[in-house]
């Protein structure tokens, strides 16, 4: 039986996803149509855990590889590009068929692939923004992968795309195009990148089989789906939410690279962007950030309408009164003006700019504002968690008074980073610090590689790695130690803002992962977490004590 905290968390996340889907359905009413329901009803369970290696081997044996794409999710296109690379590296000849381009625009696609025209001309001539409208970079990455590996790309869709009235006719058109390609390229493996709902057994695959049969052809196919919601919940219930690949049926796989929250939130953001473009207004990310804040508060069981933050000269204030200003899509000039309008030192301004470059967003408690240059779901979730942390402890809009030791400042920052990371896991449970950071991946690389591929000198990189590894070892035996190692002392005492930020960031993320694992394993509960979000570390040594108390009771590994 799964642990109660896991069941509780699944129920919580399902409620959040249900709310997002209801918002989407108010705008996109096609999500409840029979064609879409066929897809979701077919893929509600899985057969067994699998691996990317098994998937690639099966793709190598197939003639047609269907990749289900969730158009609004960049992770979906990144995976498609990765799988295309893996297939091409093992096959003599590969062609790629894409839904994104109409068949009638093949010459334009050929011109772009051949470098005759650039991105802007290509998008204009195929009416990309009007006829497709999803973020370009993810699809560009797929096309660039094809170009790099000499893969010929073909458009297989036809108009009209609006609505589902003609979607079955589009399937028949795509099937005819695919069979024609297979006849003209009999020795090629055909990779098909198409919207996920087309891949229900009775949709496009059935039309392709019928068209092949009419030509007395037989081809073996593999379907690769992504982030199936019901399968994700089943995996989570049995403790396998970290699974990358499962088999659904023979020749049918599901790959996971995003949680259901991340998947549907990406579509909600896309809809908001379309609305902004239609009104020619700047995209407003305030609702997205506020939804993240609400998600964290619901998990902590804090009522934003009744939770008192403080009573000041203006009267009673509750949590909903404290929600932050959100500055979306800031350009450099707007960011500079905002920072200059308040009392920030030049060093503080530089740190804000650095954080936005690194994470795309930043919460400034002094002015109670979240700055977003480029929204990342997980980093936006971090800033939402930082706001909740500061609001629940009553520190929104305040300036720290008094002098704190370097150790207090250091571990106070570590705790804030840990709480931020934990909050982001509530928004996207699939996030794992150890898979996203380059520090551990590059640990054994040579100096030239480090300095070419990171923002650090080799000496800086080694000092960061050594500090983190030494610190984690020391935590396990600090009660028996005679003194704190000098390398740890140097890291804690550093006056270099950039280095201090990196060290507290890494230690905090590591601890945040451990907190999440500890909650899932029942080591800590929601009441403990709510207390952690409200705890202040004003007393000397309190942040370090909280840190050591946590690492003593939490799982040793955060991976």
């Amino acid at each position: 039986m799964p642990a109660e905290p896991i069941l509780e968390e699944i129920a919580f996340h399902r409620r959040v996803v249900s709310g997002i889907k209801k918002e989407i359905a108010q705008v996109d009413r096609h999500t409840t149509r029979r064609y879409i329901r066929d897809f979701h009803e077919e893929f509600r369970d899985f057969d067994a855990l699998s691996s990317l290696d098994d998937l690639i081997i099966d793709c190598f044996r197939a003639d047609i590889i269907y990749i289900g794409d969730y158009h609004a999710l960049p992770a979906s296109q990144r995976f498609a590009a990765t799988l295309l690379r893996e297939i091409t590296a093992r096959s003599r000849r590969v062609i790629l068929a894409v839904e994104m381009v109409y068949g009638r625009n093949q010459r334009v696609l050929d011109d772009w692939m051949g470098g005759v025209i650039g991105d802007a001309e290509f998008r204009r001539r195929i009416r990309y923004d009007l006829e497709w409208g999803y973020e370009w970079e993810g699809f560009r990455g797929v096309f660039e992968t094809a170009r790099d590996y000499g893969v010929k790309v073909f458009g297989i869709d036809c108009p009209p795309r609006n609505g589902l009235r003609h979607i079955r006719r589009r399937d028949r058109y795509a099937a005819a195009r695919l069979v024609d390609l297979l006849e003209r390229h009999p020795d090629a493996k055909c990779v098909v990148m198409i919207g996920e709902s087309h891949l229900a057994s009775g949709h496009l695959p059935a039309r392709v089989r019928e068209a092949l049969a009419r030509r007395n052809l037989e081809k073996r196919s593999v379907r690769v789906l992504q982030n199936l919601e019901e399968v994700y919940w089943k995996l989570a219930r049995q403790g396998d939410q970290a699974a990358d690949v499962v088999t659904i049926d023979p020749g049918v796989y599901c790959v996971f690279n995003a949680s259901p929250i991340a998947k549907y939130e990406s579509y909600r953001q896309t809809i908001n962007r379309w609305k902004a473009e239609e009104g020619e207004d700047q995209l407003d990310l305030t609702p997205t950030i506020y939804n993240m804040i609400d998600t964290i508060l619901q998990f902590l069981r804090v009522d934003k309408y009744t939770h008192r933050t403080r009573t000041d000269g203006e009267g009673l204030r509750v949590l909903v009164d404290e929600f932050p200003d959100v500055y979306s899509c800031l350009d450099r000039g707007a960011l500079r003006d905002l920072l200059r309008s308040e009392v920030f030192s030049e060093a503080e301004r530089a740190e804000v700019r650095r954080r936005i470059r690194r994470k795309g967003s930043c919460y400034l408690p002094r002015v109670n504002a979240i700055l977003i240059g480029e929204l990342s779901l997980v980093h936006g979730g971090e800033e939402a968690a930082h706001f909740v942390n500061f609001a629940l402890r009553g520190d929104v809009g305040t300036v720290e008074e008094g002098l704190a030791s370097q150790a207090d400042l250091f571990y106070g920052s570590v705790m804030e980073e840990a709480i931020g990371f934990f909050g982001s896991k509530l928004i996207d449970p699939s996030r794992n610090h150890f898979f996203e950071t380059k520090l551990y991946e590059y640990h054994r690389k040579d100096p030239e590689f480090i300095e070419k591929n990171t923002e650090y000198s080799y000496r800086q990189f080694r000092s960061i790695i050594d500090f983190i590894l030494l610190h984690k070892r020391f935590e396990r035996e600090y009660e028996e130690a005679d003194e704190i190692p000098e390398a740890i002392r140097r890291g804690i005492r550093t006056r270099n803002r950039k280095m201090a930020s990196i060290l507290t960031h890494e230690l905090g993320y590591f601890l945040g992962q451990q907190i999440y694992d500890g909650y899932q394993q029942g080591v800590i509960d929601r009441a403990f977490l709510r207390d952690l979000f409200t705890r202040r570390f004003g007393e000397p040594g309190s942040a370090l004590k909280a840190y050591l108390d946590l690492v003593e009771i939490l799982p040793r590994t955060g991976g």
Side-chain angles (χ1 to χ4, degrees):
M1 287 290 292
E4 184 175 342
I6 292 178
L7 294 176
E8 186 181 55
E9 185 185 12
I10 292 170
F12 168 73
H13 281 126
R14 293 194 75 145
R15 289 195 299 272
V16 173
V17 169
S18 177
I20 297 173
K21 289 166 74 174
K22 285 179 181 176
E23 285 190 40
I24 290 171
Q26 290 176 358
V27 178
D28 182 358
R29 301 190 183 279
H30 301 300
T31 57
T32 59
R33 294 284 294 271
R34 183 74 223 176
Y35 188 90
I36 306 296
R37 295 205 313 273
D38 286 346
F39 173 80
H40 291 292
E41 289 171 5
E42 179 176 353
F43 302 114
R44 300 179 66 85
D45 206 347
F46 69 99
D47 179 52
L49 299 179
S50 188
S51 68
L52 185 59
D53 288 340
D54 290 339
L55 168 60
I56 292 169
I57 290 170
D58 214 0
C59 289
F60 176 74
R61 295 170 177 160
D63 304 298
I64 309 171
I65 300 100
Y66 298 102
I67 303 177
D69 180 51
Y70 194 73
H71 306 319
L73 183 67
S76 184
Q77 293 97 54
R78 287 195 294 270
F79 170 76
T82 298
L83 187 58
L84 179 63
R85 278 194 299 271
E86 296 290 343
I87 293 170
T88 305
R90 292 165 173 79
S91 305
R92 188 162 61 88
R93 192 176 178 199
V94 176
I95 58 176
L96 173 65
V98 297
E99 178 189 12
M100 194 202 81
V101 180
Y102 290 145
R104 70 186 186 195
N105 293 138
Q106 187 62 44
R107 286 187 179 180
V108 184
L109 176 56
D110 291 343
D111 285 347
W112 186 87
M113 292 294 294
V116 177
I117 60 175
D119 288 12
E121 179 69 5
F122 175 58
R123 292 172 64 175
R124 183 187 67 79
R125 288 173 63 184
I126 68 170
R127 295 167 58 85
Y128 181 91
D129 298 297
L130 293 173
E131 298 280 0
W132 193 249
Y134 297 97
E135 289 289 349
W136 164 240
E137 288 306 312
F139 293 95
R140 188 182 201 279
V142 175
F143 287 157
E144 286 186 330
T145 298
R147 186 158 58 186
D148 291 345
Y149 284 83
V151 174
K152 179 76 172 174
V153 184
F154 299 92
I156 59 167
D157 199 13
C158 66
R161 281 190 180 130
N162 56 322
L164 295 180
R165 283 185 57 197
H166 303 284
I167 196 163
R168 297 183 191 277
R169 294 181 184 176
R170 288 170 56 205
D171 278 348
R172 287 195 291 272
Y173 174 87
R177 292 277 294 179
L178 288 171
V179 173
D180 177 66
L181 290 172
L182 291 166
E183 285 189 310
R184 290 192 289 118
H185 305 274
D187 60 339
K189 197 177 298 293
C190 183
V191 177
V192 183
M193 183 180 173
I194 195 163
E196 62 179 18
S197 61
H198 291 274
L199 296 186
S201 295
H203 295 171
L204 178 64
R207 303 292 81 77
V208 171
R209 286 194 302 271
E210 292 165 1
L212 286 170
R214 287 194 291 271
R215 290 168 171 78
N216 294 316
L217 295 174
E218 187 173 338
K219 299 289 184 179
R220 185 178 184 276
S221 67
V222 167
R223 279 179 284 171
V224 185
L225 309 171
Q226 300 187 60
N227 307 309
L228 293 171
E229 182 182 347
E230 291 303 323
V231 175
Y232 179 93
W233 301 130
K234 287 182 181 292
L235 287 167
R237 278 198 293 273
Q238 66 184 44
D240 288 318
Q241 63 266 41
D244 296 323
V245 184
V246 299
T247 54
I248 306 296
D249 284 312
V252 184
Y253 294 81
C254 181
V255 174
F256 292 94
N257 46 56
S259 68
I261 292 179
K263 177 178 178 177
Y264 292 111
E265 179 63 35
S266 69
Y267 189 28
R268 178 165 64 180
Q269 290 177 26
T270 298
I271 289 172
N272 288 339
R273 178 169 59 81
W274 288 341
K275 287 181 179 178
E277 289 172 354
E278 287 175 3
E280 298 184 351
D281 295 326
Q282 183 179 355
L283 175 62
D284 182 10
L285 293 174
T286 300
T288 297
I289 295 297
Y290 281 14
N291 279 322
M292 293 180 182
I293 292 172
D294 286 341
T295 297
I296 296 168
L297 291 174
Q298 288 167 22
F299 176 84
L300 297 174
R301 297 192 175 115
V302 174
D303 187 336
K304 64 182 178 182
Y305 298 108
T306 60
H307 182 89
R308 297 190 179 199
T309 53
R310 63 179 184 267
T311 301
D312 55 22
E314 298 177 359
L316 175 70
R317 289 181 70 86
V318 293
L319 190 55
V320 72
D321 299 323
E322 304 284 6
F323 272 35
D325 293 325
V326 178
Y327 294 84
S328 309
C329 307
L330 284 169
D331 61 25
R332 290 183 179 181
L335 175 59
R336 183 175 60 249
D337 292 343
L338 177 66
L339 293 178
R340 283 181 175 174
S341 68
E342 303 293 338
V343 185
F344 289 98
S345 68
E346 184 50 46
E348 289 171 328
R349 292 174 192 150
E351 175 62 16
V352 170
R353 289 190 290 267
R354 194 185 72 79
R355 288 191 65 178
I356 291 179
R357 279 198 306 272
R358 188 183 73 196
K359 300 165 73 170
S361 55
C362 180
Y363 174 59
L364 300 178
R366 189 182 308 177
V367 293
N368 195 25
I370 292 178
L371 315 182
I372 298 179
E374 180 179 347
L375 182 65
S376 155
L377 189 65
V378 293
H379 292 137
E382 274 186 55
E383 308 312 335
H386 287 315
F387 160 75
V388 172
N389 182 204
F390 276 82
L392 292 184
R393 70 191 204 195
D395 287 339
V396 167
T398 63
V399 179
E400 293 184 2
E401 297 180 358
L403 297 176
S405 70
Q406 283 296 108
D408 289 334
L409 291 173
F410 184 90
Y411 286 103
S413 295
V414 169
M415 294 302 298
E416 288 174 11
E417 291 280 11
I419 289 170
F421 185 89
F422 173 82
S424 75
K425 290 276 288 185
L426 296 177
I427 305 301
D428 186 358
S430 64
R431 185 186 194 193
N432 191 310
H433 174 44
F434 304 96
F435 299 152
E436 69 185 46
T437 181
K438 293 181 178 178
L439 287 175
Y440 308 107
E441 178 187 348
Y442 292 173
H443 180 34
R444 300 186 185 278
K445 301 295 185 181
D446 58 45
E448 183 179 351
F449 181 92
I450 297 298
E451 296 189 354
K452 181 180 179 180
N453 291 278
T454 76
E455 59 181 304
Y456 315 115
S457 68
Y458 183 69
R459 183 178 178 181
Q460 288 175 321
F461 185 85
R462 289 303 326 169
S463 66
I464 294 167
I465 287 287
D466 292 344
F467 176 89
I468 300 299
L469 296 179
L470 179 60
H471 198 289
K472 298 311 291 183
R473 284 198 300 270
F474 181 70
E475 291 168 11
R476 296 194 288 270
E477 53 197 39
Y478 73 93
E479 290 183 338
E480 291 78 32
D482 294 327
E483 60 181 15
I484 300 174
E486 181 55 30
I488 293 180
R489 290 180 182 273
R490 284 198 305 272
I492 293 171
R493 291 197 304 252
T494 181
R495 298 284 181 176
N496 183 314
R497 279 181 173 266
K498 179 179 178 181
M499 182 61 69
S501 177
I502 293 166
L503 297 180
T504 55
H505 169 86
E506 291 299 323
L507 272 186
Y509 272 29
F510 202 122
L511 180 61
Q513 184 77 44
Q514 290 177 280
I515 292 171
Y516 186 82
D517 293 345
Y519 169 71
Q520 284 211 317
Q521 295 175 26
V523 176
I524 55 179
D525 58 17
R526 290 204 208 192
F528 182 97
L529 291 164
R530 187 165 56 249
D531 174 72
L532 189 62
F533 267 80
T534 59
R535 196 180 309 176
R536 303 186 74 185
F537 302 110
E539 294 296 320
S542 60
L544 175 58
K545 183 179 185 305
Y547 180 92
L548 294 175
D549 287 346
L550 278 170
V551 297
E552 187 172 335
I553 64 172
L554 293 173
R556 291 295 188 191
T557 61

